[in-house]
Amino acid sequence: MKIVILDGYSLNPGDLDFSIFEEFGEVVIYDRTPENLVMERLSDADVVLVNKIKITREIIENSRLRYIGVFATGYNGIDIEAATEKNIVVVNVPHYSSEAVAQMTFALLLEASNQVKLHTDLVKDGKWSKSSDFCFWDKQLFELKDKTIGLIGFGSIGKEVAKLATAFNMKILVCSRTVYQKYENDNLKFVDIDYLYKNSDIISLHCPLFKSTEKLIDQDAIEKMKEGVTIINTSRGGLIDEPALIEGLKNKIGYACLDVLTSEPPKKDNELFKLENVYITPHIAWAAYETRKRLLDIAFDNLKGFIDKKAINRVN
């Protein structure tokens, strides 16, 4: 069996071990693969392991692939219909990063509420040393207690964010395709999207990117939101209409806290970079060593399960 890893660097820049896959056969590892080389590199592969490289219908129909393993939760880069037609198994890793992404959600929110980086820089620049008082603050701070956080999506990540919000004594609104009555209480309510927009101090996105959710946060949505709302996106950049967000940040939105953008990597002249009320991290909510190690281990177990099942079927 030949196993090809097309874009291994983002998962493993050198601190993890891809050699575990050698148990199953020949392993060929590419740190990155340009679009025009994908088909060539998969020409004789039985298994492809991929993170963000798109596996299109054309690639699938011109391959001998039997298994597509996605080093991620999202699988929108894979043509599932084409894979199904060719009886190719597609497997993602849905729950490896729930706690880590929830942690990043609150890291971004706490940066907005407490302005740690700003005030650290000011202290190092000497402003505290020159102060006549024992303390100072250069920007308005705000508590999370009693603030209402609206969660769009209530999968494993949304549930972890709700746990942290509860610890901060926040009120929680949830808009989800499924209403989980067992989670409802005096502090957590399931509501429709318009109610969430109108009543949330903070809106955090935790839903997948589908055609139905693309540009979910657009001009119309922003117009329904509270003045000074904070918007957090640790899910997929395409959930937000970036031009509408940029305009909203100039007149209505308090802060945008983003770990993802529509285009990754972004162009250096992205208008978001010019705004002071935006915090952007480079898609790293999943990047802690422990999180990536968990992802690799689960991807290994997924492939092992596929191979073991095939072996049983051959015996039978």
Side-chain angles (χ1 to χ4, degrees):
M1 179 174 286
K2 183 173 181 179
I3 301 163
V4 176
I5 299 173
L6 284 179
D7 53 346
Y9 187 84
S10 57
L11 170 61
N12 179 18
D15 55 355
L16 298 177
D17 184 8
F18 279 146
S19 69
I20 59 174
F21 292 106
E22 293 174 1
E23 175 181 327
F24 309 128
E26 178 189 0
V27 180
V28 179
I29 302 167
Y30 300 100
D31 282 344
R32 302 168 187 87
T33 297
E35 184 178 343
N36 64 315
L37 291 181
V38 173
M39 195 175 301
E40 176 185 327
R41 292 180 175 181
L42 294 181
S43 60
D44 59 348
D46 302 288
V47 171
V48 62
L49 300 175
V50 62
N51 195 323
K52 293 294 183 286
I53 299 291
K54 294 186 182 300
I55 306 298
T56 64
R57 174 175 287 276
E58 182 183 10
I59 292 166
I60 288 169
E61 290 180 345
N62 289 276
S63 76
R64 69 176 204 190
L65 289 170
R66 293 189 283 156
Y67 181 97
I68 301 171
V70 185
F71 284 139
T73 297
Y75 52 87
N76 50 294
I78 313 299
D79 191 320
I80 299 296
E81 183 178 343
T84 301
E85 290 171 8
K86 286 200 67 176
N87 200 31
I88 299 170
V89 172
V90 180
V91 182
N92 64 335
V93 186
H95 302 305
Y96 76 95
S97 64
S98 300
E99 292 87 349
V101 177
Q103 177 178 311
M104 175 58 81
T105 298
F106 267 83
L108 289 164
L109 178 55
L110 288 166
E111 178 57 40
S113 65
N114 287 70
Q115 298 291 321
V116 174
K117 177 66 166 58
L118 169 67
H119 288 95
T120 295
D121 288 346
L122 291 173
V123 168
K124 290 180 178 180
D125 286 344
K127 185 166 183 177
W128 197 12
S129 301
K130 298 173 184 176
S131 175
S132 301
D133 304 303
F134 76 95
C135 71
F136 76 93
W137 55 92
D138 202 64
K139 189 177 266 191
Q140 189 69 35
L141 313 179
F142 63 89
E143 289 187 355
L144 299 185
K145 182 179 183 296
D146 293 331
K147 294 292 189 299
T148 297
I149 184 168
L151 307 180
I152 301 179
F154 203 62
S156 60
I157 295 172
K159 292 180 178 70
E160 291 298 327
V161 173
K163 290 180 187 177
L164 296 179
T166 299
F168 279 96
N169 293 314
M170 302 178 75
K171 300 171 184 176
I172 305 164
L173 300 177
V174 177
C175 179
S176 171
R177 288 179 298 179
T178 305
V179 174
Y180 301 92
Q181 291 184 343
K182 68 177 182 178
Y183 289 100
E184 285 194 304
N185 53 51
D186 292 341
N187 204 49
L188 188 154
K189 297 179 181 178
F190 284 85
V191 297
D192 63 41
I193 194 73
D194 284 349
Y195 186 94
L196 185 145
Y197 287 152
K198 293 175 183 177
N199 292 279
S200 298
D201 302 297
I202 298 131
I203 295 174
S204 192
L205 303 177
H206 302 288
C207 57
L209 177 61
F210 296 132
K211 287 184 179 180
S212 59
T213 58
E214 188 174 5
K215 296 184 179 179
L216 182 70
I217 303 298
D218 59 10
Q219 182 179 347
D220 288 343
I222 292 169
E223 287 176 357
K224 297 172 184 175
M225 295 177 190
K226 283 186 174 185
E227 289 287 335
V229 65
T230 295
I231 297 175
I232 307 172
N233 190 6
T234 54
S235 186
R236 289 291 182 266
L239 296 171
I240 294 180
D241 180 342
E242 283 184 10
L245 179 68
I246 290 166
E247 189 60 32
L249 282 159
K250 295 175 181 178
N251 54 57
K252 184 170 189 177
I253 299 169
Y255 294 100
C257 304
L258 311 171
D259 186 51
V260 290
L261 294 175
T262 302
S263 178
E264 298 176 344
K267 294 180 180 179
K268 64 180 181 180
D269 60 350
N270 190 311
E271 288 294 315
L272 286 168
F273 301 167
K274 302 174 184 178
L275 301 175
E276 292 186 0
N277 53 341
V278 179
Y279 299 96
I280 304 173
T281 48
H283 205 143
I284 56 172
W286 72 294
Y289 171 80
E290 297 89 344
T291 315
R292 290 182 292 108
K293 177 66 164 59
R294 187 180 305 117
L295 170 56
L296 181 62
D297 290 345
I298 296 171
F300 173 85
D301 289 341
N302 286 345
L303 181 55
K304 186 175 190 304
F306 167 76
I307 292 170
D308 288 348
K309 183 178 180 181
K310 286 292 184 183
I312 291 170
N313 289 343
R314 283 198 296 270
V315 170
N316 292 341

